[in-house]
Amino acid sequence: MRIVFLLLLPVYALRLDAMPIPFALSANGTPCLFAENDNTYYATVVMPEQSELEINLTCEGLEGDDVTLLSLDERPIEPTVSIASWNEGKHSLAVLINGEQRNYQLVFTSLPVVMMDIDPDSPISKDISAPAVITMTDALSRVDGKRIYTTDAEVHYRGSSTINYEKKSFSINLVDEDGSEREATFFGNRKTDKWILDGMVLDYSRMRNRLCFNLYNRIASMRDDKMIRNGTKGEYVEVILNGSYHGLYCLSDKVNRSLLSLKKAKNGVVNGILYKCTTNTDSSAYLIRPESEADISSIFVYSWELKYPDDLPCEESWAPLLDLMDYITTTLTDPEKISDNLFNLFHKDNLLTAHTFYYAVMLTDNMMHNNYLSLYDVHTDGKLWITPWDLDASFGRDGKGSVLFQQRSESLIVANDCQPFRTLFDMEDDNYYKGIHDKWEELKDEVLSEASVYAEIDSLQHVISESGSWAREHERWNNSPHPLPLLLSEETSKMKAWYSFNYEWLSNYRLLTDGIVEIKEDKPAKATIYTLQGTPVSPDQSYRSIPKGIYIVNGKKRLIR
């Protein structure tokens, strides 16, 4: 235990000089982490099957100190102590150090604990990384196969609107002492050096992004021949930042070349390509190429960033995206060409899965913005893959947390006016409509069924609430910026009610049933119109004079209202 704290790296050592860690404490064999500004130890434990937690506390003095544990919650500490309300509040811990009694607080959580100490003398922003030391503890030995793991790191802020709030999200690059990349695996995730600590600050439930990805990962993969995940995987953790408790976070991997298994560049030759949409503009939402010249020597072109190969910005690496923009721009005046070539531009199942999922959970900020586009190998496969990210604008709230519980996924394509899909919607394209319909029929009784979605919500709620982390999150971040519900179930019940409301509507929605579409404007009177019973409608009648209902118009079902 003593070695654990002595090996903490230079940034943390600076803070040790100012306020030394009193002593090394373990709970059931897992080291506890100390938040000195709060005078509190944080112990990660395995969630007990029963209501009481059986805990064995051990300690060791530092620098030769003589340390004896006296009491926990004013009860003498025996080899094993039973705690009934282990996950509620802070527990008092009395300790004798060199004959002097000292009092501390002890928090038990069934979540892993992440302690991040950022160099206080280094600038940090979204674009500037600062050196840090990160220590993680996990009672299930899932931090690179250990119960405690310490590493150097380079960290910077992430997010757009969320960067303005005190509770920030972080991008983390693990590094060795010499600054080289250091890969590790956490909580059953893949081995990588790049991680995200997501603060979820605008989400009232702190689960929408993780909930959506947990569902999406069950239905989406990158290629038919390999089960390659097309979304991030994450674990809830509690964070101590620079000596103070900082709340509930989700530690996840990143969307990158490694996750999507894109073919590596070799000897200066571009193979796999990954683009990230950075802002919501014409070149992203509409995939229309601006008139300004593209600087293909930069990793930033229009509203897009070349994430891979970011060291090879050139004509070959930017050509697929620019060619797509050119094609969309020139064919918007000839919609039939878009329909004919849609699935020559995008992988069919990938596109239909993504869009069906967007409808199901009402992702209001992901039609093209907050998406990645990729090609596995530009030389052998010219079709694009779509990979979403930042899925918090879902389940009845937008990205700022505003209430949308009374809204349904009417048409995210129409609402976002995203091309080329808006054109396909307007022209009532059979390929697109039928594809969405078939995909919904495939998923609505399985992964996207009400029972399946409710079970995933309940699972995440259990992890957050039963660990005690929701109460701590509420205490730390209530009204900053939103008023958080005292009980997480207050928000999740609204999410479930919204999903049931949206699910029922989707199951009867014209795009997702049998291709029935609405007619909102008068059409030429010479159109051939029949009732569903086959009775012809008088050609002298205009659309507005026909009673509301479903008719056969020029051979297709139409809803006239």
Side-chain angles (χ1 to χ4, degrees):
M1 292 300 302
R2 187 176 186 177
I3 291 177
V4 167
F5 292 98
L6 292 179
L7 286 181
L8 294 176
L9 299 173
V11 173
Y12 194 65
L14 292 175
R15 294 173 54 241
L16 283 176
D17 293 339
M19 186 177 292
I21 286 194
F23 59 94
L25 180 69
S26 291
N28 291 347
T30 302
C32 303
L33 298 180
F34 185 64
E36 61 262 38
N37 296 336
D38 306 333
N39 195 41
T40 302
Y41 283 91
Y42 286 82
T44 174
V45 298
V46 177
M47 184 180 293
E49 295 182 2
Q50 306 300 325
S51 59
E52 290 191 350
L53 173 69
E54 299 290 325
I55 194 74
N56 175 258
L57 295 176
T58 58
C59 67
E60 183 174 345
L62 301 178
E63 304 298 332
D65 289 338
D66 182 24
V67 180
T68 302
L69 298 176
L70 294 178
S71 65
L72 180 65
D73 293 336
E74 300 183 351
R75 292 188 299 164
I77 293 181
E78 301 175 357
T80 300
V81 179
S82 296
I83 307 175
S85 302
W86 64 274
N87 56 356
E88 296 180 7
K90 294 182 178 182
H91 302 268
S92 61
L93 180 67
V95 182
L96 197 66
I97 301 180
N98 297 330
E100 179 184 350
Q101 180 173 330
R102 299 183 187 178
N103 298 314
Y104 303 94
Q105 294 176 316
L106 177 59
V107 169
F108 295 105
T109 176
S110 54
L111 298 184
V113 179
V114 175
M115 183 168 66
M116 184 163 65
D117 297 290
I118 303 173
D119 184 355
D121 297 323
S122 296
I124 181 172
S125 67
K126 187 174 180 178
D127 302 313
I128 300 174
S129 294
V133 174
I134 295 176
T135 301
M136 302 186 192
T137 57
D138 178 54
L140 297 174
S141 300
R142 296 173 299 166
V143 284
D144 214 41
K146 308 176 184 69
R147 292 194 181 195
I148 186 166
Y149 177 85
T150 301
T151 180
D152 280 333
E154 296 287 332
V155 303
H156 63 267
Y157 301 142
R158 73 175 299 272
S160 52
S161 59
T162 58
I163 204 169
N164 298 313
Y165 298 102
E166 183 183 356
K167 189 187 184 190
K168 292 178 170 53
S169 297
F170 298 90
S171 287
I172 299 173
N173 292 341
L174 307 183
V175 296
D176 283 324
E177 291 183 6
D178 61 2
S180 59
E181 294 179 355
R182 180 180 187 179
E183 294 186 334
T185 178
F186 304 131
F187 317 119
N189 212 322
R190 62 194 175 95
K191 193 171 186 178
T192 179
D193 63 308
K194 295 176 173 59
W195 298 88
I196 290 173
L197 269 177
D198 183 9
M200 309 165 289
V201 66
L202 294 178
D203 179 8
Y204 285 72
S205 70
R206 303 298 199 253
M207 72 165 63
R208 282 177 167 83
N209 185 61
R210 188 75 270 131
L211 167 65
C212 287
F213 270 123
N214 287 357
L215 294 169
Y216 189 68
N217 287 340
R218 292 165 58 188
I219 64 175
S221 61
M222 279 298 290
R223 288 188 288 284
D224 295 336
D225 59 334
K226 295 181 180 179
M227 287 305 295
I228 299 173
R229 185 157 41 94
N230 193 29
T232 67
K233 182 179 178 180
E235 185 83 9
Y236 284 109
V237 299
E238 296 195 65
V239 171
I240 301 169
L241 178 63
N242 293 337
S244 299
Y245 181 75
H246 209 63
L248 179 68
Y249 277 74
C250 186
L251 181 71
S252 70
D253 59 351
K254 285 187 172 183
V255 176
N256 54 21
R257 186 212 66 80
S258 176
L259 172 65
L260 304 181
S261 234
L262 307 179
K263 189 173 181 180
K264 290 183 178 180
K266 187 175 181 180
N267 299 326
V269 176
V270 175
N271 294 309
I273 300 175
L274 180 64
Y275 307 111
K276 178 183 179 182
C277 182
T278 57
T279 56
N280 205 355
T281 64
D282 283 2
S283 60
S284 59
Y286 308 143
L287 285 174
I288 296 174
R289 185 168 181 172
E291 295 181 359
S292 59
E293 189 70 22
D295 180 8
I296 58 175
S297 65
S298 170
I299 63 170
F300 294 100
V301 167
Y302 303 135
S303 300
W304 295 84
E305 179 182 358
L306 180 66
K307 298 298 290 186
Y308 186 84
D310 55 345
D311 59 343
L312 285 175
C314 59
E315 182 177 0
E316 189 174 15
S317 57
W318 280 112
L321 182 63
L322 295 178
D323 288 347
L324 173 65
M325 289 183 181
D326 287 340
Y327 179 82
I328 298 301
T329 303
T330 56
T331 56
L332 286 179
T333 56
D334 190 358
E336 294 296 336
K337 289 186 178 180
I338 296 179
S339 176
D340 293 341
N341 292 282
L342 173 66
F343 298 122
N344 290 328
L345 301 172
F346 295 90
H347 281 274
K348 181 176 182 179
D349 191 71
N350 168 252
L351 171 64
L352 295 176
T353 298
H355 278 203
T356 304
F357 184 74
Y358 295 177
Y359 275 94
V361 302
M362 199 169 79
L363 288 168
T364 61
D365 198 22
N366 292 85
M367 285 310 301
M368 191 54 66
H369 180 233
N370 286 340
N371 277 278
Y372 288 83
L373 295 178
S374 65
L375 296 95
Y376 166 69
D377 183 357
V378 68
H379 304 291
T380 62
D381 181 6
K383 294 183 181 180
L384 290 158
W385 298 90
I386 297 176
T387 302
W389 62 288
D390 278 4
L391 308 183
D392 52 329
S394 58
F395 280 89
R397 290 192 187 270
D398 65 15
K400 296 180 181 179
S402 301
V403 171
L404 301 176
F405 288 125
Q406 300 304 314
Q407 295 188 25
R408 303 168 297 188
S409 302
E410 301 235 5
S411 173
L412 300 181
I413 296 173
V414 171
N416 289 274
D417 201 21
C418 180
Q419 296 293 357
F421 314 112
R422 172 63 192 273
T423 296
L424 293 170
F425 179 90
D426 288 343
M427 65 184 288
E428 304 165 6
D429 178 69
D430 287 337
N431 290 329
Y432 181 76
Y433 280 13
K434 187 177 187 304
I436 296 290
H437 162 256
D438 291 347
K439 183 59 66 173
W440 175 249
E441 287 296 311
E442 172 189 334
L443 298 174
K444 71 183 180 70
D445 295 324
E446 297 181 3
V447 176
L448 296 182
S449 70
E450 290 175 275
S452 172
V453 172
Y454 294 173
E456 190 64 41
I457 293 174
D458 289 341
S459 175
L460 294 176
Q461 178 179 314
H462 178 77
V463 168
I464 296 172
S465 296
E466 293 305 310
S467 64
S469 62
W470 183 256
R472 289 184 284 276
E473 179 75 0
H474 186 276
E475 181 181 1
R476 179 67 180 85
W477 295 112
N478 187 35
N479 294 317
S480 181
H482 300 311
L484 296 176
L486 184 62
L487 298 176
L488 181 54
S489 57
E490 296 177 32
E491 180 70 10
T492 57
S493 63
K494 295 176 182 177
M495 294 165 64
K496 289 180 181 179
W498 175 84
Y499 190 76
S500 178
F501 170 70
N502 197 60
Y503 180 93
E504 181 180 2
W505 180 78
L506 280 174
S507 296
N508 295 284
Y509 182 40
R510 60 187 184 278
L511 282 191
L512 306 183
T513 51
D514 60 356
I516 298 174
V517 297
E518 295 178 358
I519 295 178
K520 299 179 180 179
E521 298 177 0
D522 285 350
K523 301 292 182 181
K526 293 183 180 180
T528 304
I529 307 173
Y530 294 87
T531 66
L532 293 181
Q533 291 73 36
T535 303
V537 176
S538 171
D540 296 327
Q541 287 184 278
S542 70
Y543 275 84
R544 290 181 180 174
S545 65
I546 296 175
K548 297 178 181 179
I550 299 174
Y551 295 82
I552 306 299
V553 181
N554 291 335
K556 294 184 179 181
K557 287 184 181 180
R558 295 290 185 264
L559 174 63
I560 299 178
R561 63 178 187 177

